[in-house]
Amino acid sequence: MTIPSESEICGTGCGLNATLRVISGKWKPLILFFLRDGSKRYGELKRLIPEVSDKVLIQQLKDLEADQVLLRTDYKEVPPRVDYSLTPLGSSLSEAIIPLCNWGTKNAEQMANIFASRESK
């Protein structure tokens, strides 16, 4: 297995490609956003993101763990108890998502109108 070079990961020399590789997926940014305040169990994340299927949530949690932005702690108890938390790398990434959240909040009404118009065509 070869390790991709920095230029292969970032493409244009901008770190945006690397960032998008980590947060690609409909629910990953929300997972990172909800974990920014501390660890959560699977059920808590599922309640916070009710639209996501179990299969997709599990896969996206595994992807984030593989990208070393998420830490999965299995307490080896019965009944099973597993917590998800951000690594320092994940914490810095979740902070980078906050401006996107602010933009969405600021422009929510305009974007809702745009989406409704687009869907009616």
Side-chain angles (χ1 to χ4, degrees), residues 19-103:
T19 305
L20 291 175
R21 267 183 87 165
V22 174
I23 65 169
S24 68
K26 186 173 182 178
W27 308 108
K28 288 179 186 179
L30 283 175
I31 293 167
L32 293 168
F33 178 80
F34 287 126
L35 289 175
R36 79 192 188 294
D37 293 327
S39 66
K40 305 262 186 295
R41 294 178 71 178
Y42 178 85
E44 291 176 276
L45 289 170
K46 182 71 173 136
R47 281 189 296 280
L48 290 166
I49 314 170
E51 302 88 6
V52 67
S53 70
D54 287 319
K55 178 183 176 183
V56 171
L57 180 56
I58 290 166
Q59 186 57 56
Q60 296 212 338
L61 288 167
K62 285 180 180 181
D63 292 347
L64 290 168
E65 183 182 13
D67 290 336
Q68 299 179 16
V69 295
L70 186 106
L71 180 64
R72 180 182 186 273
T73 304
D74 185 345
Y75 292 94
K76 309 274 189 227
E77 295 176 351
V78 175
R81 182 168 67 114
V82 176
D83 285 342
Y84 295 94
S85 59
L86 296 175
T87 64
L89 184 65
S91 290
S92 66
L93 181 55
S94 72
E95 289 303 313
I97 291 171
I98 300 301
L100 294 174
C101 180
N102 292 338
W103 181 89

Side-chain angles (χ1 to χ4, degrees), residues 98-117:
I98 300 301
L100 294 174
C101 180
N102 292 338
W103 181 89
T105 301
K106 180 180 174 186
N107 297 289
E109 185 177 338
Q110 182 178 359
M111 295 311 300
N113 292 334
I114 291 169
F115 296 150
S117 172

